[in-house]
Amino acid sequence: MQNERLRAVMEAGGWTHAALADVTGVDPKSVERWVNLGRTPRRATALAAAEALGEDVHALWPALRQARAARAVSPELVALYGQRADLPVSVFVDLFSQARQRIDVLVYAAVFLHEAYPRLNDLLHQRADDGCAVRIAVGDADDPNVQQRGREEKFGHGIESRCRLALLHYRPLTDVPGIELRTHGTTLYNSLYRADDQMLLNAHVWGVNAYGAPVWHLRRHGDGGMFDTYAGSFDAVWEMAHPVEG
């Protein structure tokens, strides 16, 4: 498809393919392909051409605007799911199975994991036996922040019973070397499931149960990114959480 805008601008300014090629440092055949085949040059070349022509680079090559928008997405974002219910439990199981150094879980309850995968404790036990540090923080059913979440979700005392159930599920792991279990009463903005440098982050939405809220799949990409921000929030909650004894 021809680039009619580029053709018109060049004709209006008296530019030949060779002349524009000369100022941009490319072959005249490249300029011909820009015009006749609608090819988009590299950004630096396009900027040089647009400056010479006295035209807006995005008016000549709209695809460059789209490419810039795409690069604005964090390189740490692997996938975005509209709601947790869209993810089969195998996604969480696979994540934990791949961990070699650490597993962190920060939730109020998340009993769906044990309900859908009854061998979760066996998996965590195996990862700990292989040298993986496992930290699990579940909600304190007696804490006002947890109880408030239940009222917001219109579940009544449901969330409190789910927290107690989660604690029952995980309690057999308290005597396993390498596994720590704690309870917390923090305002939980996100449920977090980390395995080494990957993380599933279940956002919380006011009045919506966690299964109906979005999930971000993050992969760490250098220091100081989103991954480190959320990992730091886990560490902060962990320091305030109360150890559960066997």
Side-chain angles (χ1 to χ4, degrees):
M1 183 175 64
Q2 295 183 349
N3 188 332
E4 293 297 340
R5 178 64 177 256
L6 177 59
R7 181 191 301 278
V9 170
M10 289 180 64
E11 288 179 355
W15 287 88
T16 64
H17 294 165
L20 188 58
D22 185 60
V23 299
T24 56
V26 300
D27 188 273
K29 288 291 185 181
S30 295
V31 178
E32 183 179 351
R33 286 191 287 270
W34 300 348
V35 176
N36 296 328
L37 300 179
R39 300 286 177 81
T40 300
R42 289 182 296 181
R43 179 172 293 277
T45 304
L47 289 170
E51 182 177 358
L53 296 172
E55 182 64 40
D56 178 76
V57 67
H58 297 126
L60 295 175
W61 293 287
L64 291 175
R65 187 190 304 276
Q66 298 170 1
R68 174 174 287 179
R71 283 196 293 271
V73 175
S74 170
E76 295 187 297
L77 182 61
V78 178
L80 172 62
Y81 303 91
Q83 54 184 14
R84 196 191 71 199
D86 294 336
L87 280 75
V89 73
S90 60
V91 173
F92 296 86
V93 172
D94 290 345
L95 184 79
F96 294 148
S97 297
Q98 296 169 20
R100 293 298 177 265
Q101 296 178 322
R102 76 166 58 249
I103 291 174
D104 290 335
V105 176
L106 173 62
V107 295
Y108 272 160
V111 293
F112 74 94
L113 288 174
H114 281 96
E115 291 172 347
Y117 189 71
R119 296 186 301 279
L120 179 63
N121 281 9
D122 294 335
L123 170 59
L124 296 175
H125 197 309
Q126 182 61 56
R127 301 311 320 124
D129 286 347
D130 290 342
C132 193
V134 180
R135 299 185 296 177
I136 302 165
V138 301
D140 180 349
D142 297 320
D143 190 275
N145 286 327
V146 176
Q147 296 170 0
Q148 178 63 30
R149 175 59 59 83
R151 290 190 291 271
E152 292 169 358
E153 293 181 355
K154 302 179 177 61
F155 266 66
H157 296 288
I159 193 167
E160 296 158 45
S161 62
R162 294 203 307 276
C163 288
R164 292 189 174 95
L165 181 57
L167 196 57
L168 286 174
H169 281 310
Y170 287 115
R171 189 177 286 277
L173 296 173
T174 54
D175 293 328
V176 177
I179 297 181
E180 294 183 80
L181 176 63
R182 298 185 182 184
T183 59
H184 71 96
T186 59
T187 301
L188 192 61
Y189 301 106
N190 305 277
S191 293
L192 184 154
Y193 310 85
R194 175 186 179 179
D196 294 340
D197 285 345
Q198 295 196 70
M199 182 185 298
L200 292 172
L201 198 74
N202 188 187
H204 288 280
V205 180
W206 194 93
V208 177
N209 191 281
Y211 66 75
V215 172
W216 292 285
H217 182 178
L218 301 179
R219 180 180 289 114
R220 191 172 186 274
H221 185 81
D223 295 334
M226 287 196 301
F227 186 99
D228 284 354
T229 296
Y230 286 111
S233 74
F234 177 93
D235 290 338
V237 172
W238 187 254
E239 289 302 313
M240 297 185 290
H242 303 289
V244 175
E245 305 297 334

